Amino acid sequence: MPAKSIAVIIVAAGRGERVNVDGTSEPKQYRLLAGTPVLSRTIRSFLDYPHITHILPVIHANHSDRYAALGLADPRLLQPVVGGAARQASVLAGLKALAPMRPDLVLIQDGARPFATPDLIGDVIALLETHDGALPALSVTDTIKRSLDGQVVVNTEDRSQLYAAQTPQGFRFGQIFSAHMRAATNPRQFTDDAEIAEWAGLRVAMVMGARDNIKITHPEDFAQGERIILGDEPMETRIGTGYDVHPFEAGDAVWLGGVRIPHTAKLQGHSDADVALHALTDAILGAIGEGDIGVHFPPSDIQWKGAASTVFLKHAGFLVGKAGGRIVNLDVTIVAERPRIAEHVPAMRAVIGAALGIEASRIAIKATTSERLGFVGREEGIVAMASASIELPRHS
């Protein structure tokens, strides 16, 4: 391959609301797909391609903390820039940020399309030797009907000439930058970068796309994505349990299930002492045979002093994905006289669901008292018990 500088723009500035029918607020690009955030998988697919020189994520203005939590680090990975209200504006923001570097070529990739293979990326780049632009596309196999009102068919399209566009779409940098600058002054909204290139008179070619190169758009796409990653390997169900207790000490709030609840005391512990998340983390780790929370986050390690227990929970979820598994359901019981838990349960389920990338419907949180018996009854502390049901590939 000729020595060229090749930059990649990862467009991830959307809110990803279409997949959030389960009530979670996590944008689709940050939700877990087989244990790893979608955006991490997308970026990694280009970091793994040796000829890429720079990768620039374009993110939503409110997502800087979510992006930082991905923990991605590579000399080729640039600091993210903030995108616009529409995809076209986000791409232009990325192109402007890359302009001082003057790359020879640029690839533009959807942040929620995590399955670009090295062969697909290489095919797009190779076509740029002889064309102004290139994109992967698949021939349309369904019969396509045209309707003006969504009810009555007025025409049947000739599908032999129709193709479904994918990303990454590649271009010679100067040409697509100029085309985007011109398009920004046009009231027309373009659906992808290849359309802008076509409108600007550039010659765009197609390579064979991939059926697995899906874009995560709807809730069912996560299930399909997990099948792509995990395959159809036989699965078995593992069950893990967790138990934790923390005493009270002077304070004004307790952390339970990732939610801060005002109280006349706080729970004593090395981290935030979230007894519910500790029990739940142990249940998940137990189901996959990975010890307990103390093995992964020893209380003797100062870096975990005051740490949010969602960090521990996310790590357990990551290990489930690394093992090729998925969380089926979680069940937590909190035993306390006070504070009252019931009103906080929806928020707890939302926090846990977001940390693990699962639907809130897979999480049960129950609260009870000890009828004034024992140390819990004397309001000296809180107990939590949890169970986790995990599916893992049978071979593991």
Side-chain angles (χ1 to χ4, degrees):
M1 171 180 291
K4 289 181 180 295
S5 56
I6 306 172
V8 181
I9 295 173
I10 307 289
V11 189
R15 293 183 179 273
E17 295 171 334
R18 275 181 288 183
V19 298
N20 293 331
V21 297
D22 57 16
T24 64
S25 59
E26 194 74 351
K28 63 183 179 182
Q29 59 270 40
Y30 297 100
R31 290 184 63 177
L32 298 184
L33 179 61
T36 301
V38 171
L39 184 55
S40 293
R41 289 188 179 277
T42 302
I43 293 173
R44 179 57 58 189
S45 65
F46 289 91
L47 287 174
D48 289 343
Y49 192 81
H51 302 293
I52 300 300
T53 52
H54 294 96
I55 298 175
L56 176 66
V58 182
I59 66 173
H60 191 279
N62 297 335
H63 293 173
S64 56
D65 289 344
R66 286 185 170 98
Y67 178 80
L70 298 179
L72 298 171
D74 190 281
R76 295 169 295 163
L77 186 58
L78 305 175
Q79 286 297 310
V81 297
V82 173
R87 184 186 187 281
Q88 183 177 329
S90 295
V91 174
L92 181 55
L95 291 168
K96 288 179 177 179
L98 287 175
M101 303 174 194
R102 302 179 65 85
D104 297 307
L105 307 176
V106 62
L107 304 180
I108 302 171
Q109 171 74 349
D110 298 324
R113 199 182 290 269
F115 297 113
T117 64
D119 285 344
L120 188 66
I121 296 169
D123 288 346
V124 170
I125 293 172
L127 263 187
L128 296 179
E129 291 291 326
T130 54
H131 296 80
D132 302 320
L135 75 153
L138 290 173
S139 58
V140 174
T141 57
D142 294 326
T143 297
I144 304 298
K145 303 292 184 180
R146 182 182 296 276
S147 174
L148 301 180
D149 59 5
Q151 296 179 334
V152 179
V153 173
V154 297
N155 190 35
T156 298
E157 302 292 337
D158 180 4
R159 68 183 181 190
S160 67
Q161 299 180 12
L162 297 178
Y163 294 84
Q166 299 180 336
T167 65
Q169 298 184 359
F171 307 92
R172 296 170 184 173
F173 181 82
Q175 291 178 323
I176 195 64
F177 188 19
S178 175
H180 257 280
M181 290 292 287
R182 289 168 52 200
T185 65
N186 190 305
R188 172 181 171 184
Q189 279 297 307
F190 297 86
T191 59
D192 71 356
D193 307 290
E195 186 182 9
I196 290 177
E198 298 153 22
W199 169 79
L202 302 181
R203 189 164 175 253
V204 179
M206 296 188 300
V207 301
M208 178 63 70
R211 296 291 174 190
D212 286 347
N213 187 28
I214 65 169
K215 183 180 180 182
I216 305 295
T217 304
H218 303 288
E220 58 268 25
D221 296 334
F222 278 91
Q224 183 180 353
E226 289 193 352
R227 287 194 296 271
I228 292 170
I229 295 167
L230 303 176
D232 296 321
E233 198 165 9
M235 305 289 279
E236 64 182 15
T237 301
R238 307 270 189 94
I239 304 296
T241 61
Y243 175 92
D244 197 32
V245 57
H246 281 275
F248 284 124
E249 64 178 10
D252 60 1
V254 296
W255 283 95
L256 286 173
V259 176
R260 187 179 187 274
I261 302 175
H263 189 46
T264 56
K266 70 175 183 176
L267 290 172
Q268 183 183 92
H270 185 67
S271 63
D272 64 5
D274 191 325
V275 64
L277 293 192
H278 291 184
L280 185 55
T281 301
D282 271 352
I284 295 172
L285 292 173
I288 60 176
E290 285 286 350
D292 62 21
I293 195 170
V295 172
H296 298 269
F297 304 96
S300 58
D301 191 335
I302 191 64
Q303 69 174 310
W304 308 122
K305 179 67 174 177
S309 295
T310 49
V311 173
F312 312 150
L313 187 64
K314 287 180 179 179
H315 178 71
F318 167 78
L319 292 178
V320 172
K322 184 179 179 182
R326 75 179 188 96
I327 296 171
V328 178
N329 74 288
L330 306 171
D331 190 10
V332 183
T333 299
I334 301 170
V335 187
E337 298 295 331
R338 290 188 307 130
R340 295 298 182 183
I341 306 300
E343 66 182 280
H344 302 287
V345 166
M348 293 180 188
R349 295 174 74 198
V351 170
I352 294 169
L356 296 172
I358 63 174
E359 300 88 347
S361 61
R362 296 183 181 272
I363 305 162
I365 299 177
K366 308 184 297 294
T368 188
T369 71
S370 66
E371 300 295 339
R372 295 290 175 183
L373 298 175
F375 73 90
V376 173
R378 295 190 298 271
E379 298 190 35
E380 296 173 1
I382 295 178
V383 167
M385 298 169 284
S387 62
S389 176
I390 310 290
E391 279 192 347
L392 287 177
R394 191 174 300 277
H395 72 83
S396 66

